Amino acid sequence: QISAGERELQESRAQLQSAEAELAKGEAELAANRAQLEAGQAAYDSALAEYEASAAEGESSAASLDAAADELEARLAQMAPDDPGRADLEAQIAALRAQAQGIRDQLAAAKAELDKQGTELSAGWAALAQGEARLEASRQQIAAGWQQVEAGEAQLAQSRRQLANARAEAAAGKAELDSAQRQLASGWAEYYDGLAAYERERDDALEKLDGAERELDDAQAEIDDIERPDVFVLDRTKNYGAQSYTNDSERIDAIASVFPLFFFIVAALVALTTMTRMVDDERSLIGTYKALGYSTLQISAKYLVYAASASGIGAVIGIAFMSQLLPWVIPEAYGIVYKVPQRPFPLPIEPGPATAALALGVGCTLIATLAACVSSLRETPAALMQPKAPKVGKRILLERIGPLWRRITFSWKVTLRNIFRYKRRFLMTVIGIAGCTGLLVTGFGVRDAISDIIDIQYTDLVHHDVVVGLAEGSTQGEVDDVVTYLQGTGGAGECVIADTQNVVLRDASGEGDDHAVQLLCPEDLAAYGDIRTLRDRVSHEEIPFEGDSVILTEKLATILGVGPGDTFRLYEPNAVGNVTDAGTEVTLTGVTENYIQSYVFMGPEAYERVFGEAPSFDTIYTTMDEDPDLRTEVGKHLQAMDDVDTVVFEDEMIDTYSTMLRSVDLVMIVLIVSAAALAFVVLYNLANINISERVREIASLKVLGFTRREVDAYVFREIILIVIGGALVGLVLGYFFEAYVVVTAEVDAAMFGRTVHALSYVYSFALTMAFCALVLLAMAPKLRKIDMVESLKSVE
């Protein structure tokens, strides 16, 4: 069958090759026909162009002859019937008409000849297209034939492989059968030999079994004599992760007690300003109510109900929204340390905090509203029914500086006076904008504080990138074996050996909280200085690391409340991390900058003094080439060694921390959005009230010919100045608030940076001014809609 298939494939290939030769011949003929048609088409196009030019010229000549004949006919019509020149004139007319007709006949004949050529060309092109279609069909048939040939060849190749496999399997089966027969014969021989040996050794085995049973009984007796072990019962407070999470939750509570302060203060000022304006607008109505005998409480109830409904609706919306947003953002941000699963939406609303927020929000608004009502209701009904007298202007400090005040333009004088004229409004805006800018500085500052620690920790402070931990009790020879391997890879740098162990620290009294940290004692202090920089965070001065030195990381020293020269207590924890002895009093010699984890750096002499024995160096620090293949190979080889417990590459930790720190951007976004909302509420309220109170003044400016831009500058200039002042105050306020938030939100496993970048202050100020610009752009149309005639009508 395979041979027959091969013969059929050869015949098919011969037929396809013959068809391809015929196809090539047809393509050559079509190419020749196409060339002839293209030449004929070019000649036809040229003749057609010449005909069109000749036709236009001939038609023009025939028209000229017809016009001349028409003139002669007109002259003929004017001649007398018996005029002797009449016959000549008629002959001339006939000759002209004949010439014109001859020209047209020639053009018609030329056109007919061109049409015939065009018809022939069209037929030629059609025939060419049919030929090309037939060739394309032939090509497809040939391609299909070749595909069938290739499929046949593949099938033949598969058949050959199957035949070869079948022959190989048959040979292998024969060999296995022969081997199985030999094994069977050998197995029977072994069986009979084993049976004979069993019968010979059975008695010895039974005797040994009895001896083993006696040994087991003795071992069980020894086990029964073992004293009961110590049992440790650890509650949740002894779990480092749970306790750390609890502490961080308390830190968030501390921030939450300060964070809403800005919003409540601004809410009270906005409510006071708005309701004061509302009460002033309805002075006449309030005076009428009071004259009719309504009490102060009854009149105030209208405004209190209005304020309570508005603030209540706003509080409910805020609780519903923020109770879903912030409980999602905060765990995301703390993903730098914890892996806490997110609860499914919608999140439950805590009744206690929600009720407190609702009560505080509505309460601030009602108190401010009541204050606004009481201040107006003190007046008599007659005074209330009259328009409120404008607030008396006072001289400001700049007016007392004569040379400066005289050089200020009228518009700027009015602006400066108005800024200090309405002190309540000025205070509301400054506090609101300061809070807005302060929140922005806090957001950007928190991002700076957290994002800086990775670069500083693993660039300026830590210079090694591989840590190899050996098993407890490793000998010096085992340590040397690991060092020899690392240095033999060609990619490792100098190896530094140190003793590392977990210890517990307390303050000097020994009554404070336990702080579990890692103690590190290098064998070669000079070499360790090359892979780890110990320096002061502020001055960047290196801290001496000598044999009797005891150095704490900055966060740990701050928690213990100690500095150079102070003492603290150091304990060796048991297997579960509890303190079981009285500890040792240790004198601190230095505090070093550090951001990730907390450490105690101790010299060999100090180690022997504290623990009473020499350190056992079981941890190796070194650097490694950045080649990923080399790192992978080294990591696998080290983990396969019996005396190696752990292998840590610092770049993996850096990537992990960097990924986690991205969640801090969520906190920054929340702060920016909160600041934008705060700025919008304050500025919109200020601009709206400012325009409403000065409608007549603005209308007067328009009547006096002030342009739109001048009116906008006249009204918005003081808002911009107040915003600038509030933003500058906010930059200072944000510095302290950011410092409070960073220290309070700091997790136990890390110390955040203490520096706010200069660009963060610039961004905060720029965003505040951008919010201001957006509000002013939104209020500009209100200025343009002020009607000069209606606004200037008498209020009486």
Side-chain angles (χ1 to χ4, degrees):
Q1 290 177 354
I2 292 174
S3 300
E6 288 179 343
R7 287 195 296 272
E8 290 178 1
L9 286 175
Q10 289 175 356
E11 292 175 359
S12 298
R13 288 194 192 94
Q15 292 174 0
L16 288 173
Q17 290 171 354
S18 177
E20 286 180 340
E22 291 294 332
L23 178 63
K25 181 178 179 182
E27 287 177 344
E29 291 177 357
L30 281 178
N33 292 338
R34 177 180 290 278
Q36 291 176 358
L37 284 173
E38 289 176 351
Q41 183 70 42
Y44 171 75
D45 293 339
S46 176
L48 181 60
E50 291 178 359
Y51 163 75
E52 289 175 351
S54 300
E57 185 178 356
E59 188 61 37
S60 176
S61 300
S64 300
L65 292 173
D66 286 338
D70 291 339
E71 290 179 1
L72 291 177
E73 284 179 352
R75 288 173 56 190
L76 182 62
Q78 294 175 359
M79 294 176 64
D82 55 353
D83 191 324
R86 187 179 181 87
D88 295 336
L89 192 57
E90 289 176 349
Q92 293 178 7
I93 292 172
L96 290 173
R97 297 291 185 189
Q99 289 179 5
Q101 185 61 37
I103 292 172
R104 291 190 175 92
D105 292 341
Q106 291 176 358
L107 291 175
K111 183 64 168 69
E113 181 64 24
L114 285 174
D115 291 341
K116 179 181 178 181
Q117 293 179 6
T119 303
E120 293 175 352
L121 282 173
S122 299
W125 284 113
L128 181 64
Q130 292 176 356
E132 289 179 340
R134 289 194 296 272
L135 283 177
E136 182 60 28
S138 298
R139 288 193 193 94
Q140 294 177 356
Q141 291 177 356
I142 292 171
W146 280 116
Q147 290 178 353
Q148 292 177 357
V149 169
E150 291 174 356
E153 289 178 344
Q155 190 172 3
L156 280 175
Q158 185 178 4
S159 299
R160 291 192 190 94
R161 289 193 297 271
Q162 291 175 350
L163 180 59
N165 292 336
R167 289 173 177 168
E169 288 177 359
K174 181 67 171 59
E176 289 180 0
L177 179 60
D178 294 341
S179 175
Q181 289 176 345
R182 288 193 298 272
Q183 290 177 359
L184 180 60
S186 175
W188 280 113
E190 290 179 2
Y191 168 74
Y192 289 121
D193 293 341
L195 181 61
Y198 165 75
E199 292 176 350
R200 289 194 305 270
E201 297 176 2
R202 179 178 57 183
D203 295 338
D204 294 339
L206 291 174
E207 184 179 353
K208 291 179 180 179
L209 182 61
D210 293 338
E213 288 180 352
R214 289 192 297 272
E215 290 179 1
L216 285 175
D217 293 337
D218 295 340
Q220 183 62 46
E222 292 178 0
I223 292 174
D224 294 338
D225 293 338
I226 296 176
E227 297 180 358
R228 295 181 62 84
D230 295 331
V231 179
F232 299 96
V233 179
L234 305 178
D235 60 10
R236 187 175 295 175
T237 60
K238 297 300 182 181
N239 182 281
Y240 177 79
Q243 188 61 31
S244 178
Y245 190 77
T246 301
N247 295 338
D248 292 336
S249 301
E250 294 173 354
R251 295 186 181 99
I252 292 297
D253 288 340
I255 295 176
S257 63
V258 177
F259 187 82
L261 180 62
F262 291 115
F263 295 94
F264 284 124
I265 293 175
V266 172
L269 290 173
V270 169
L272 180 61
T273 305
T274 304
M275 298 310 298
T276 300
R277 177 61 187 168
M278 185 176 179
V279 170
D280 289 343
D281 288 342
E282 296 185 355
R283 284 176 58 85
S284 299
L285 182 61
I286 294 174
T288 302
Y289 287 153
K290 195 169 184 179
L292 292 175
Y294 286 91
S295 66
T296 299
L297 182 59
Q298 290 174 318
I299 298 173
S300 300
K302 169 187 175 182
Y303 304 99
L304 292 174
V305 169
Y306 171 80
S309 60
S311 60
I313 293 172
V316 170
I317 294 174
I319 291 171
F321 178 70
M322 297 306 290
S323 64
Q324 305 301 312
L325 178 62
L326 286 179
W328 175 78
V329 170
I330 298 301
E332 280 290 321
Y334 270 85
I336 183 175
V337 178
Y338 309 107
K339 184 62 177 178
V340 181
Q342 286 283 8
R343 293 185 294 177
F345 285 97
L347 300 176
I349 299 177
E350 298 293 335
T355 303
L358 179 66
L360 285 172
V362 175
C364 290
T365 306
L366 291 180
I367 292 173
T369 303
L370 184 62
C373 293
V374 170
S375 64
S376 295
L377 289 171
R378 290 174 180 172
E379 301 183 36
T380 62
L384 289 171
M385 291 182 185
Q386 295 179 354
K388 187 175 182 179
K391 193 170 184 178
V392 178
K394 298 180 180 179
R395 296 184 67 186
I396 62 176
L397 180 62
L398 288 177
E399 292 187 55
R400 304 180 186 278
I401 307 175
L404 177 61
W405 185 254
R406 286 192 295 271
R407 287 173 171 77
I408 299 177
T409 62
F410 169 76
S411 299
W412 278 94
K413 288 180 179 179
V414 174
T415 298
L416 294 174
R417 284 171 175 164
N418 282 332
I419 289 175
F420 299 100
R421 185 179 183 184
Y422 302 98
K423 295 181 175 58
R424 185 186 303 165
R425 201 176 304 161
F426 173 77
L427 182 64
M428 174 195 71
T429 307
V430 169
I431 292 177
I433 298 302
C436 165
T437 308
L439 290 176
L440 291 174
V441 172
T442 302
F444 287 116
V446 168
R447 186 189 63 175
D448 295 340
I450 298 180
S451 61
D452 285 350
I453 64 176
I454 298 299
D455 293 336
I456 299 176
Q457 180 76 13
Y458 294 104
T459 301
D460 298 341
L461 302 180
V462 176
H463 310 300
H464 61 77
D465 54 6
V466 180
V467 181
V468 181
L470 278 70
E472 185 177 357
S474 297
T475 64
Q476 185 63 39
E478 292 171 338
V479 175
D480 294 339
D481 290 342
V482 177
V483 172
T484 301
Y485 167 73
L486 287 172
Q487 293 180 342
T489 60
E494 181 181 1
C495 294
V496 178
I497 307 172
D499 182 310
T500 58
Q501 59 178 295
N502 295 324
V503 296
V504 174
L505 304 186
R506 290 180 183 173
D507 57 20
S509 65
E511 302 296 330
D513 295 334
D514 292 346
H515 302 283
V517 298
Q518 189 177 59
L519 183 145
L520 193 148
C521 177
E523 182 182 31
D524 187 342
L525 299 179
Y528 187 74
D530 296 332
I531 64 169
R532 178 69 182 247
T533 298
L534 302 178
R535 70 182 189 185
D536 181 76
R537 178 176 59 84
V538 178
S539 64
H540 285 189
E541 293 182 0
E542 289 196 14
I543 299 173
F545 192 18
E546 300 171 350
D548 59 349
S549 296
V550 178
I551 302 172
L552 294 182
T553 53
E554 182 175 353
K555 182 178 179 66
L556 186 58
T558 303
I559 294 174
L560 294 174
V562 295
D566 297 333
T567 60
F568 61 90
R569 300 200 72 81
L570 186 147
Y571 304 83
E572 289 188 81
N574 57 15
V576 293
N578 290 330
V579 173
T580 58
D581 56 12
T584 304
E585 186 175 78
V586 181
T587 301
L588 180 65
T589 61
V591 176
T592 182
E593 180 181 9
N594 188 75
Y595 296 94
I596 305 298
Q597 300 299 335
S598 296
Y599 301 94
V600 180
F601 300 98
M602 187 175 291
E605 297 175 9
Y607 185 97
E608 291 187 21
R609 184 173 64 252
V610 171
F611 296 99
E613 60 181 4
S616 58
F617 302 107
D618 55 3
T619 304
I620 301 171
Y621 297 86
T622 187
T623 58
M624 182 64 64
D625 191 271
E626 296 182 358
D627 183 6
D629 295 334
L630 176 62
R631 285 173 173 258
T632 302
E633 179 184 352
V634 170
K636 290 181 179 179
H637 186 277
L638 290 174
Q639 289 172 351
M641 298 176 72
D642 295 335
D643 49 341
V644 174
D645 269 353
T646 60
V647 180
V648 178
F649 290 94
E650 300 289 357
D651 56 346
E652 298 175 356
M653 297 180 59
I654 294 172
D655 293 339
T656 301
Y657 280 117
S658 300
T659 302
M660 290 178 176
L661 289 176
R662 293 174 188 166
S663 60
V664 178
D665 293 338
L666 291 172
V667 178
M668 187 181 68
I669 292 173
V670 170
L671 292 175
I672 291 175
V673 172
S674 302
L678 180 64
F680 180 80
V681 169
V682 171
L683 292 176
Y684 184 85
N685 188 66
L686 173 66
N688 189 44
I689 293 176
N690 201 13
I691 294 173
S692 299
E693 288 184 348
R694 301 170 67 181
V695 169
R696 292 173 60 83
E697 180 183 353
I698 295 169
S700 300
L701 295 176
K702 289 187 175 183
V703 171
L704 293 174
F706 277 57
T707 63
R708 178 184 300 176
R709 182 178 298 177
E710 290 174 337
V711 172
D712 291 346
Y714 182 82
V715 176
F716 294 149
R717 186 185 293 117
E718 62 186 76
I719 297 177
I720 295 174
L721 290 178
I722 297 176
V723 169
I724 292 174
L728 295 176
V729 174
L731 295 178
V732 179
L733 184 66
Y735 171 81
F736 294 101
F737 192 40
E738 186 272 342
Y740 171 78
V741 169
V742 165
V743 174
T744 305
E746 205 168 58
V747 297
D748 292 334
M751 184 182 82
F752 296 159
R754 298 293 190 263
T755 303
V756 181
H757 298 173
L759 279 178
S760 297
Y761 290 105
V762 175
Y763 292 152
S764 302
F765 186 84
L767 281 175
T768 304
M769 299 311 298
F771 297 153
C772 175
L774 290 175
V775 173
L776 296 184
L777 286 175
M779 296 301 298
K782 187 171 183 178
L783 285 176
R784 302 187 184 100
K785 293 179 181 178
I786 294 177
D787 189 293
M788 291 181 285
V789 176
E790 292 296 327
S791 301
L792 291 176
K793 287 182 179 179
S794 175
V795 294
E796 287 82 13

